[in-house]
C-alpha cells in the first residue's frame, strides 16, 4: 500500500512541483459560436496551444498556481481569464471573445457645411468643408465623391485626413452633386447626405489672361473682384486651354461669343477660336501661320463685325474668316520690316500696326486703311528701344502703347524701363499714363478697358524672370489720386472685354 502511494506521487511531481490540468473553450460573444485556432497562452508561461474546431483546448501538466490565461485571435479582442491550478485536478475556463468591430464605434455621419445644398453662383476653385469625427481612438479617413450633373463625370478624392478640400478647374456653370464618406477601417463606412450646388458661369468673366505652367502658356478666364479685401485676386478663375499645349494671347469678342488665341502646332503658331467657356476649339489658320519676331510678342485683332481676324505673318498682314476660309493679303511692309502687332477700332476702318526689324527694334507704329492698303499716318519712327502693347481706342482717336524709355537695345530683347503712353491723333500729342511704377520694373501689354475709363497692363521686374501681375489704372482723372488695382497674380497677356 505504501508503495502504491509512492508511485502516484512520482507521476504528479517533479522534485517539489505538483501539476494539474487546464481545459477550456472559446466562443464568440453573443452568438456563442465555437472559435477555432485561437491562440491560448498563460502568465506565468506554460505551453502554448490552439483551439480545435469545437473551440476546445487543453494544457496538460501545468504547474500548480495562479495564472492569467490569454485567448488571442485576429479580428477579435484579446481576452484574459484567471485560473487557479490545483494538484491533480482539472481547471476549466470559458472565453467569450468580442470581435474588433463590435468594440469600435462608427464615425459620426459627416455633415456637409459648404457649399450649402442648392447654392448657386459658387466661385471656382471650390473649397469643400464638412464636419465629422470618430467616437473612439481610431484614425478616420474621408472620401469625397463629386459628380458633374451635366455630363455624369465623377471625381473621387480618397484617403483624406482633413475636413477641408479645395478643388480647382471644375466645369464652368455646371451643376454638381457631392457626398462625403467616413471610414475608420474597422466599422462600416458611413456616408453623408448628398448635396448639390451650381458653379458660377463665364458670363461674369470679362477678363482673359495667360499663365505659364511647366513650360506651357495656358489661357485662363477671370471675373471682376467682388470682395473689399485687396488680397482677393484671381476671381472665379477658370482654365480654358490644356496644360499640355502652348496657348496664348487670348482676345474675346462678345458679339460672336468667341475667344481667339494663338497655339503652337508643330513648329508653327496658328490662330484658334473657342467658346467663352473654353469649349469647341477650332483651328482657323493652316497654310499661313502667324509669324514674325518672337511668337510671344505677336498680336492679332478682330475685324469690326467679328467675322474675321487680321494677323501678321512676317512682313505681311492677312485676314481670315472665322471658319478658316477667305484668307487674303491686306497689307505688306518692306522685306525687313516684320509686322508684330495690329489693332482695330469699331469707329472706322483704320488699323494700327507695329513693325520692327528681326531684333525687335527700329520700330514703326502706323495707321493704315486696309480697304486700299494705303498708309495713313506714321506715329512712331526712328526711336530707340522696344515698343509693344498696341491698342486702338473705341472712337478711333487715340492709340495706346508701351515704350522702354531706357532706349537700351540688346540681343536678349530685355526691357529696362517700359512705360505706358497714349497718342492723341487729333492734336498729334503723346502723354505718359503714370502708374507710379518704381525704378527697375516694367509696364507691358497695356490695353484699354471696354469703356476706356481704365487701362489694364502687366507689371513685373525688369529682370525677365520675376512673377508677372495684372493691374488696372483709372485714366482721365488726376492720376496721382488713383492707385492701381491688382487683379490677377502670376498672369500676363491680359484681355478685358
Amino acid at each position: 500500500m505504501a508503495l502504491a502511494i509512492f508511485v502516484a506521487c512520482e507521476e504528479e511531481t517533479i522534485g517539489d512541483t505538483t501539476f494539474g490540468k487546464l481545459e477550456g473553450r472559446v466562443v464568440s460573444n453573443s452568438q456563442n459560436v465555437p472559435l477555432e485556432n485561437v491562440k491560448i497562452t498563460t502568465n506565468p508561461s506554460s505551453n502554448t496551444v490552439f483551439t480545435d474546431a469545437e473551440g476546445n483546448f487543453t494544457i496538460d501538466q501545468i504547474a500548480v498556481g495562479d495564472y492569467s490565461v490569454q485567448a488571442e485571435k485576429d479580428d477579435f479582442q484579446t481576452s484574459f481569464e484567471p485560473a487557479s491550478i490545483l494538484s491533480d485536478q482539472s481547471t476549466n475556463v470559458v472565453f467569450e471573445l468580442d470581435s474588433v468591430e463590435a468594440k469600435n464605434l462608427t464615425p459620426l455621419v459627416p455633415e456637409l457645411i459648404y457649399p450649402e445644398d442648392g447654392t448657386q453662383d459658387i466661385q471656382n476653385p471650390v473649397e469643400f468643408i464638412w464636419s465629422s469625427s470618430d467616437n473612439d481612438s481610431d484614425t478616420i479617413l474621408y472620401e469625397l465623391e463629386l459628380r458633374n450633373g451635366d455630363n455624369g463625370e465623377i471625381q473621387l478624392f480618397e484617403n483624406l485626413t482633413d475636413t477641408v478640400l479645395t478643388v480647382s478647374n471644375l466645369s464652368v456653370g455646371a451643376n454638381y452633386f457631392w457626398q462625403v464618406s467616413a471610414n475608420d477601417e474597422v466599422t462600416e463606412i458611413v456616408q453623408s447626405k448628398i448635396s448639390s450646388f451650381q458653379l458660377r458661369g463665364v458670363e461674369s468673366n470679362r477678363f482673359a489672361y495667360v499663365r505659364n505652367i511647366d513650360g506651357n502658356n495656358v489661357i485662363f478666364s477671370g471675373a471682376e473682384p467682388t470682395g473689399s479685401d485687396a488680397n482677393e485676386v484671381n476671381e472665379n478663375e477658370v482654365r480654358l486651354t490644356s496644360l499640355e499645349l502652348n496657348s496664348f494671347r487670348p482676345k474675346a469678342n462678345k458679339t460672336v461669343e468667341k475667344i481667339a488665341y494663338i497655339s503652337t502646332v508643330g513648329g508653327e503658331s496658328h490662330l484658334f477660336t473657342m467658346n467663352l467657356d473654353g469649349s469647341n476649339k477650332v483651328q482657323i489658320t493652316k497654310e499661313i501661320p502667324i509669324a514674325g519676331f518672337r511668337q510671344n510678342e505677336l498680336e492679332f485683332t478682330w475685324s469690326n463685325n467679328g467675322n474675321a481676324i487680321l494677323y501678321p505673318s512676317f512682313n505681311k498682314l492677312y485676314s481670315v474668316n472665322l471658319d478658316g476660309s477667305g484668307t487674303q493679303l491686306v497689307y505688306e511692309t518692306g522685306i525687313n520690316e516684320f509686322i508684330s502687332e495690329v489693332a482695330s477700332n469699331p469707329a472706322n476702318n483704320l488699323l494700327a500696326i507695329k513693325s520692327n526689324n528681326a531684333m525687335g527694334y527700329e520700330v514703326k507704329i502706323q495707321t493704315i486703311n486696309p480697304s486700299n492698303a494705303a498708309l495713313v499716318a506714321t506715329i512712331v519712327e526712328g526711336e530707340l528701344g522696344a515698343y509693344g502693347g498696341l491698342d486702338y481706342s473705341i472712337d478711333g482717336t487715340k492709340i495706346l502703347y508701351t515704350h522702354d524709355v531706357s532706349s537700351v537695345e540688346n540681343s536678349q530683347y530685355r526691357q529696362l524701363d517700359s512705360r505706358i503712353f497714349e497718342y492723341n491723333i487729333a492734336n498729334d500729342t503723346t502723354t505718359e499714363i503714370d502708374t507710379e511704377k518704381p525704378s527697375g520694373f516694367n509696364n507691358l501689354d497695356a490695353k484699354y478697358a471696354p469703356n476706356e475709363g481704365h487701362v489694364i497692363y502687366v507689371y513685373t521686374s525688369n529682370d525677365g524672370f520675376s512673377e508677372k501681375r495684372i493691374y488696372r489704372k483709372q485714366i482721365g482723372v488726376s492720376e496721382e489720386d488713383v492707385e492701381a488695382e491688382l487683379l490677377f497674380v502670376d498672369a500676363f497677356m491680359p484681355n478685358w472685354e
Side-chain angles (χ1 to χ4, degrees):
M1 184 65 178
L3 180 60
I5 295 173
F6 174 77
V7 171
C9 291
E10 284 294 313
E11 291 178 348
E12 297 295 330
T13 65
I14 300 177
D16 295 331
T17 304
T18 58
F19 295 88
K21 180 187 291 186
L22 176 64
E23 295 179 311
R25 191 165 188 256
V26 183
V27 297
S28 64
N29 193 12
S30 71
Q31 296 179 343
N32 203 35
V33 175
L35 295 177
E36 184 180 7
N37 205 35
V38 179
K39 181 180 179 181
I40 305 297
T41 57
T42 64
N43 186 21
S45 178
S46 65
N47 292 336
T48 298
V49 297
F50 292 86
T51 59
D52 59 21
E54 299 301 320
N56 298 318
F57 67 91
T58 301
I59 300 178
D60 291 317
Q61 292 293 299
I62 182 169
V64 170
D66 293 327
Y67 290 85
S68 174
V69 186
Q70 175 179 306
E72 182 179 7
K73 182 177 176 63
D74 288 345
D75 299 325
F76 286 85
Q77 295 283 334
T78 299
S79 183
F80 299 87
E81 291 290 343
S84 296
I85 305 301
L86 302 177
S87 177
D88 198 25
Q89 294 188 28
S90 179
T91 302
N92 190 274
V93 293
V94 175
F95 289 93
E96 294 181 337
L97 298 189
D98 287 308
S99 68
V100 172
E101 181 176 336
K103 283 295 186 181
N104 275 268
L105 299 174
T106 60
L108 296 178
V109 174
E111 179 183 351
L112 306 186
I113 298 175
Y114 184 86
E116 295 182 14
D117 189 28
T119 306
Q120 298 181 346
D121 202 33
I122 297 296
Q123 298 180 35
N124 202 352
V126 180
E127 184 180 58
F128 294 90
I129 304 173
W130 63 94
S131 67
S132 178
S133 65
D134 213 337
N135 283 325
D136 50 33
S137 60
D138 294 323
T139 299
I140 184 169
L141 299 176
Y142 301 101
E143 177 184 279
L144 188 149
E145 179 176 324
L146 184 62
R147 179 168 62 87
N148 186 326
D150 294 355
N151 60 21
E153 179 185 15
I154 295 177
Q155 298 182 63
L156 286 178
F157 303 90
E158 301 176 301
N159 298 322
L160 307 174
T161 57
D162 198 2
T163 57
V164 177
L165 175 68
T166 299
V167 181
S168 303
N169 300 319
L170 298 178
S171 298
V172 177
N175 288 288
Y176 279 92
F177 299 87
W178 66 297
Q179 184 177 40
V180 174
S181 302
N183 180 11
D184 63 2
E185 298 187 309
V186 177
T187 60
E188 292 186 2
I189 296 173
V190 295
Q191 294 181 312
S192 71
K193 295 180 179 179
I194 297 175
S195 185
S196 67
F197 65 92
Q198 183 175 21
L199 208 66
R200 176 181 292 181
V202 296
E203 62 277 354
S204 63
N205 284 9
R206 300 186 64 183
F207 300 93
Y209 49 91
V210 173
R211 177 173 297 135
N212 190 278
I213 301 176
D214 296 331
N216 280 330
N217 290 322
V218 182
I219 298 174
F220 288 81
S221 170
E224 186 80 22
T226 58
S228 58
D229 189 346
N231 294 321
E232 294 185 17
V233 295
N234 297 1
E235 193 79 18
N236 198 44
E237 183 172 88
V238 178
R239 178 168 58 84
L240 301 181
T241 60
S242 170
L243 298 173
E244 308 302 322
L245 299 175
N246 187 42
S247 305
F248 53 99
R249 198 62 72 181
K251 290 184 182 292
N253 187 305
K254 292 300 180 74
T255 301
V256 296
E257 295 187 334
K258 296 285 185 181
I259 296 177
Y261 63 99
I262 305 172
S263 191
T264 303
V265 181
E268 297 180 333
S269 294
H270 283 276
L271 288 172
F272 287 72
T273 61
M274 60 183 168
N275 294 339
L276 298 177
D277 62 0
S279 63
N280 192 30
K281 296 177 174 64
V282 178
Q283 181 177 344
I284 63 171
T285 58
K286 293 180 175 64
E287 299 300 325
I288 304 175
I290 180 169
F293 166 74
R294 296 198 175 204
Q295 63 175 7
N296 283 359
E297 299 294 330
L298 300 176
E299 289 206 40
F300 58 89
T301 192
W302 288 89
S303 65
N304 281 350
N305 57 17
N307 293 333
I309 294 176
L310 297 108
Y311 70 98
S313 187
F314 297 107
N315 68 322
K316 297 180 176 63
L317 183 67
Y318 290 93
S319 174
V320 60
N321 295 330
L322 289 191
D323 62 1
S325 67
T327 301
Q328 59 181 339
L329 179 65
V330 174
Y331 189 76
E332 184 174 356
T333 61
I335 190 64
N336 294 319
E337 296 179 10
F338 294 166
I339 300 174
S340 295
E341 301 182 37
V342 56
S344 61
N345 72 85
N348 57 53
N349 193 40
L350 299 184
L351 300 175
I353 62 171
K354 189 204 85 173
S355 62
N356 47 260
N357 62 17
M359 297 290 291
Y361 302 116
E362 297 183 7
V363 170
K364 293 181 182 178
I365 296 179
Q366 298 171 312
T367 54
I368 64 170
N369 188 337
S371 62
N372 58 11
L375 174 64
V376 177
T378 297
I379 297 165
V380 171
E381 185 178 16
E383 299 290 337
L384 296 175
Y387 284 77
L390 189 66
D391 201 12
Y392 219 142
S393 66
I394 296 173
D395 60 5
T397 64
K398 300 180 182 67
I399 293 177
L400 194 71
Y401 61 87
T402 64
H403 177 213
D404 179 11
V405 298
S406 73
S407 299
V408 170
E409 298 185 349
N410 53 79
S411 59
Q412 294 79 32
Y413 198 66
R414 179 179 172 183
Q415 301 184 49
L416 301 182
D417 190 8
S418 181
R419 305 181 185 184
I420 304 173
F421 294 89
E422 184 179 56
Y423 174 77
N424 189 308
I425 295 174
N427 56 27
D428 191 27
T429 58
T430 301
T431 305
E432 179 181 352
I433 296 177
D434 185 13
T435 62
E436 299 182 354
K437 176 186 67 67
S439 177
F441 288 80
N442 285 324
N443 288 335
L444 306 169
D445 278 335
K447 303 297 176 191
Y448 284 117
N451 64 0
E452 295 188 359
H454 295 77
V455 292
I456 188 171
Y457 60 95
V458 173
Y459 170 81
T460 186
S461 168
N462 68 13
D463 61 14
F465 300 100
S466 296
E467 180 191 55
K468 297 178 175 65
R469 297 187 167 200
I470 296 176
Y471 282 81
R472 67 176 168 191
K473 176 71 181 287
Q474 187 175 0
I475 57 177
V477 296
S478 179
E479 294 172 3
E480 59 270 14
D481 296 334
V482 180
E483 292 185 359
E485 179 184 9
L486 176 62
L487 299 177
F488 303 97
V489 300
D490 190 19
F492 52 98
M493 296 187 184
N495 176 239
W496 186 6
E497 295 296 334

